[in-house]
Amino acid sequence: CGDKAKNVLKEYFVGGDMDDAVLSIHELVGAGDEGSVERGTKAVESAVLFVLEEKAANVDKFLTVYLRCAKEKKIEGQSFVVGLNDPLEFLNDIAIDAPLAIPHLANIIAELVKAEIIPFNFLLESPDYFRTDQNAAGFGAKVMKRIGGDATTKEEYIEVVEKLMTDEDKAKHSSAADLIAEA
């Protein structure tokens, strides 16, 4: 399922047929059928891991396809939440070889939150390693800045960043607002 999702994206990057890409994802995931959340999770996870190492234009193309799939209920929202776990957990490792991975993933999550496909507070349920060892609070602040508008002053978002702050973050920043301002 994951490899097929990557192949659909590769084909879309070259050919540009959005309708075909959405139809292929729909057929792959089978939203609403038994096991569709698991298949959707694999499709999201594989596609995100793939585009983290791509150029920004391909990340935007990925978002165009996957946001449409989400809006048209071709992939359930829960698949996005769970499908982002591995990309978050391995983000720093990926960023060693693909330095744009962190801003790419911040952009992807920001767009999913803006489209109301996933809640911002899903970061609180992200993998332990991400929350404890990978600057989760700083990453959350980057996502807030990517969301734009009033996101950096939205109380519920600030609370999430505050909860993600480690002791080290708290030693460096007097508050979540300070950390967000520095991101």
Side-chain angles (χ1 to χ4, degrees):
C1 199
D3 286 340
K4 289 179 185 175
K6 275 196 301 196
N7 290 336
V8 167
L9 274 181
K10 287 177 184 175
E11 195 174 308
Y12 174 64
F13 293 167
V14 173
D17 187 342
M18 162 110 50
D19 292 334
D20 185 51
V22 171
L23 178 63
S24 296
I25 296 291
H26 175 63
E27 290 171 350
L28 186 64
V29 173
D33 296 340
E34 187 176 331
S36 64
V37 172
E38 290 81 10
R39 289 188 300 276
T41 295
K42 208 69 193 143
V44 168
E45 178 183 291
S46 294
V48 169
L49 287 169
F50 169 63
V51 298
L52 288 182
E53 298 185 34
E54 291 285 308
K55 57 189 179 190
N58 285 348
V59 174
D60 292 341
K61 289 177 183 178
F62 154 79
L63 281 166
T64 304
V65 170
Y66 275 67
L67 286 170
R68 180 170 160 194
C69 286
K71 287 175 185 161
E72 294 178 8
K73 308 280 189 246
K74 311 273 188 224
I75 301 175
E76 290 102 333
Q78 186 60 30
S79 294
F80 283 94
V81 170
V82 180
L84 288 166
N85 279 340
D86 276 3
L88 285 168
E89 185 165 358
F90 301 113
L91 184 57
N92 283 346
D93 294 337
I94 296 165
I96 291 168
D97 295 325
L100 293 177
I102 293 171
H104 283 347
L105 190 57
N107 184 42
I108 290 167
I109 291 173
E111 292 301 320
L112 291 169
V113 170
K114 279 198 289 193
E116 298 181 358
I117 295 162
I118 61 172
F120 182 73
N121 69 358
F122 96 98
L123 289 171
L124 296 174
E125 303 300 319
S126 58
D128 286 339
Y129 181 70
F130 171 74
R131 285 183 282 127
T132 58
D133 295 356
Q134 298 211 39
N135 191 18
F139 181 79
K142 285 181 176 80
V143 171
M144 290 169 70
K145 287 193 171 182
R146 290 284 185 140
I147 292 170
D150 67 347
T152 57
T153 57
K154 202 170 190 177
E155 196 55 43
E156 67 184 274
Y157 291 2
I158 293 170
E159 284 178 25
V160 169
V161 170
E162 200 170 312
K163 289 176 182 174
L164 290 171
M165 289 177 73
T166 62
D167 290 340
E168 189 178 316
D169 292 328
K170 291 173 186 171
K172 288 182 189 171
H173 306 282
S174 61
S175 68
D178 282 352
L179 187 145
I180 293 162
E182 256 185 52

